[in-house]
Amino acid sequence: MTTLKTILTPNIDIETIRADFPILSRKVNGKSLVYFDNGATAQKPKLVIDSITNYYTNQNSNIHRGVHTLSQESSVAYENARATVQKHLNAKHAHEIIFTKGTTDSINLVATSFGKKYITKGDEILISSMEHHSNILPWQQVCEEKGAVLKVIPINDAGELIISEYKRLLNERTKIVAITHISNTLGTINPIEEVIALAHVKNIPVLIDGAQAVPHTAVDVQLLSADFYVFSGHKLFGPTGVGVLYGKEKWLNEMPPYQVGGGTIKTVTFKKTEYADLPLKFEAGTPHIDGVIGLAVAIDYVNKIGFKNIEAYEHELLIYATEALQKIEGLKIIGTAKNKASVISFVVEGLHPFDIGTILDQLAIAVRTGHHCTQPLMNLYNIPGTVRASFAFYNTKEEIDMLTSGLQRAIKMLK
Ligand SMILES: Cc1ncc(COP(=O)(O)O)c(C=O)c1O
C-alpha cells in the first residue's frame, strides 16, 4: 500500500504503456484525449480487446457442458481465468473466486445470501460514511427485510474513518462490516487491515469493496484475512459486465445460492434440487465468458507492469496534481486524507461542477462531475457534487498541466 515512506522510483515506460491503449490516441473535439475518468471505468489495453475478438473468432462456445473441442477450450480458458484471479488475490482456493457482473452484483450477492442466513431482527450492519451507493443500498434492503439496523462509521473533515467511533460501534449485535478499501470520491485509502482485525476480535466478518483499490494496488486476501473482497473487471482495465466476489470458503459454503438455475446444480427433480459445490453454486446461467477471459488478460497485463511501479508512479501524479490544483484560487480539494490514492475531487467557489466538466470536455479533458454515487457523503460535506479527476498509470504530468490550464480557462469563462 502506498505510504510516503514506501515510495520507490517508478519503473514506468510511459510511451510503451500508452501505445498499449488504442483509445488514448483518439481525438475529442479535434484535440488529444486526456482521460481522467478512470474511477468510473478504466481504458482497455489492446491485449484485452484482442482477447475478446479472439474468443469470438476462434473459440465461442458455452462452457462446462460440452464434450466438443470448442466447449472444452472455452471451459479451460474460463477456469484458467479463475486461477489467475485466485493467484492475483492470493486466495487459498480457486473455488473461493466467484465471477459476477461486477462490484454491485457481488455486494448484492453477499447482502442477499448472507442476510438470508445470518441477519435477524435487531441485528446491526456496519458501513462507513464514504460508501458508494452500491455498498449502501443492498444492506439497506436487508435491514428493511429483516428489521435490522444500518449503522454508519463517521469520518473526519479530511475524509478519514474515525477509528475510535468504529470501535465503539462494533458490538455483539453487529453481524457484518462492509467498507470500501479506497473511496471513489475522496481517494482515501482506508486502513482495512486494522478494520478487519478489530472486527475479527469480536468474530464479525468483513466485506471489503475493492472497486477502486484493485486498479491501484496489489491485494492479498489471506494477509488481510478479508472475509469477502469484491471488485469490477472494468475498473481494472478489463471488460465491463464482469466482476469478482472473493469469499472465504467457510462463508460461501454456508451461504445459500443467490440466483438459481442452470449451472448451479448437482441434481434436479420437481421435488428437490441439490446444489453444486463452490464456485458453481453461485454462478447461475451462462456467464460472461469473454469478459472473464478478458479480465484475466488485464490482470496479467497490470502484473507485468507491477503494482510497486504503478503505486509509485501514481503517487507522483497525485502529489503533482494536488500541488498544481491547490494553487488555483477558489479551488478546494474534498478529501485530504494522509493516505490517498490518485483520485482528486474538488469544488470551485461559485461554480457548478457540471459547468466545469462541460468546458473541460470541450478541451478533450474527461473528468467526472456530480455526486459519484455517494450522496450521503456529499450531504456530509454540504455540497451538491464535485469535479473528480482520477488517474491511472497511463496518465502523465503533461496531461495534469493541461487540466490545470483548462481549469483556469473554465474559471475565467464561467466567472
Ligand atoms: C467504491 C465503489 N464501489 C462500487 C462501485 C460499483 O461498481 P460497478 O458499477 O462496477 O458495479 C463503484 C463504481 O464506481 C465504486 O467506485
Side-chain angles (χ1 to χ4, degrees), residues 241-380:
V242 64
V244 168
L245 158 64
Y246 158 80
K248 276 186 187 160
E249 183 185 43
K250 159 190 145 57
W251 295 115
L252 295 179
N253 269 335
E254 286 180 13
M255 283 158 48
Y258 169 50
Q259 293 182 323
V260 292
T264 60
I265 57 95
K266 272 185 188 155
T267 57
V268 180
T269 67
F270 286 118
K271 282 216 176 90
K272 190 170 166 48
T273 293
E274 195 189 343
Y275 285 99
D277 294 328
L278 295 174
L280 299 187
K281 170 178 142 184
F282 286 112
E283 292 182 1
T286 300
H288 187 0
I289 305 167
D290 56 304
V292 164
I293 293 169
L295 172 59
V297 173
I299 288 173
D300 285 340
Y301 176 82
V302 288
N303 280 325
K304 227 169 172 185
I305 298 172
F307 273 104
K308 284 224 157 44
N309 289 320
I310 291 173
E311 283 186 23
Y313 181 73
E314 290 182 352
H315 191 74
E316 280 188 9
L317 293 183
L318 175 70
I319 299 296
Y320 187 80
T322 304
E323 283 173 1
L325 294 180
Q326 269 169 345
K327 288 190 191 127
I328 296 177
E329 213 185 304
L331 185 148
K332 185 178 174 209
I333 292 178
I334 306 293
T336 52
K338 277 185 221 83
N339 208 6
K340 262 188 85 166
S342 54
V343 176
I344 305 183
S345 265
F346 59 87
V347 289
V348 179
E349 208 182 346
L351 302 185
H352 198 282
F354 180 82
D355 295 332
I356 297 173
T358 306
I359 293 181
L360 289 177
D361 177 57
Q362 284 163 14
L363 303 169
I365 302 169
V367 293
R368 184 131 304 230
T369 62
H371 53 63
H372 317 296
C373 294
T374 53
Q375 278 185 0
L377 185 64
M378 296 294 100
N379 292 341
L380 258 185

Side-chain angles (χ1 to χ4, degrees), residues 39-40 102-105 132 134 180 182 184 209 211-212 232 234-235:
T103 307
T104 306
D105 194 35
H132 187 281
S134 290
T180 194
I182 293 180
N184 62 312
D209 173 353
Q212 295 293 335
S232 303
H234 69 98
K235 294 184 201 281

Side-chain angles (χ1 to χ4, degrees), residues 69-88:
T69 301
L70 294 188
S71 176
Q72 286 181 14
E73 282 179 10
S74 296
S75 302
V76 167
Y78 186 85
E79 290 308 321
N80 282 348
R82 199 189 304 278
T84 300
V85 177
Q86 176 202 356
K87 190 161 165 245
H88 184 61

Side-chain angles (χ1 to χ4, degrees), residues 79-247:
E79 290 308 321
N80 282 348
R82 199 189 304 278
T84 300
V85 177
Q86 176 202 356
K87 190 161 165 245
H88 184 61
L89 294 180
N90 191 32
K92 197 166 179 187
H93 306 290
H95 58 250
E96 292 176 317
I97 305 299
I98 311 295
F99 288 117
T100 64
K101 287 189 289 181
T103 307
T104 306
D105 194 35
S106 297
I107 299 172
N108 271 279
L109 189 164
V110 177
T112 306
S113 175
F114 186 94
K116 221 184 236 177
K117 175 94 184 177
Y118 300 107
I119 310 278
T120 53
K121 198 168 177 339
D123 285 345
E124 293 178 3
I125 294 169
L126 192 49
I127 61 169
S128 88
S129 302
M130 66 177 90
E131 297 312 313
H132 187 281
H133 295 163
S134 290
N135 200 28
I136 303 174
L137 277 52
W139 304 111
Q140 227 168 28
Q141 274 219 333
V142 176
C143 287
E144 271 170 32
E145 279 164 20
K146 298 286 189 140
V149 185
L150 193 66
K151 294 278 179 171
V152 184
I153 310 161
I155 57 172
N156 62 22
D157 289 346
E160 295 162 323
L161 288 178
I162 303 176
I163 294 292
S164 56
E165 286 298 307
Y166 172 53
K167 286 183 189 162
R168 201 181 56 76
L169 284 162
L170 282 173
N171 67 67
E172 66 286 350
R173 289 183 301 279
T174 314
K175 284 289 146 48
I176 190 164
V177 176
I179 196 157
T180 194
H181 190 166
I182 293 180
S183 160
N184 62 312
T185 302
L186 306 171
T188 309
I189 302 173
N190 282 320
I192 55 164
E193 301 82 352
E194 190 181 2
V195 167
I196 293 168
L198 286 167
H200 282 180
V201 169
K202 294 197 156 81
N203 290 323
I204 301 163
V206 181
L207 175 141
I208 302 293
D209 173 353
Q212 295 293 335
V214 289
H216 301 295
T217 191
V219 172
D220 182 330
V221 289
Q222 288 193 79
L223 199 67
L224 288 169
S225 193
D227 297 276
F228 303 100
Y229 195 100
V230 300
F231 68 88
S232 303
H234 69 98
K235 294 184 201 281
L236 182 53
F237 315 95
T240 54
V242 64
V244 168
L245 158 64
Y246 158 80

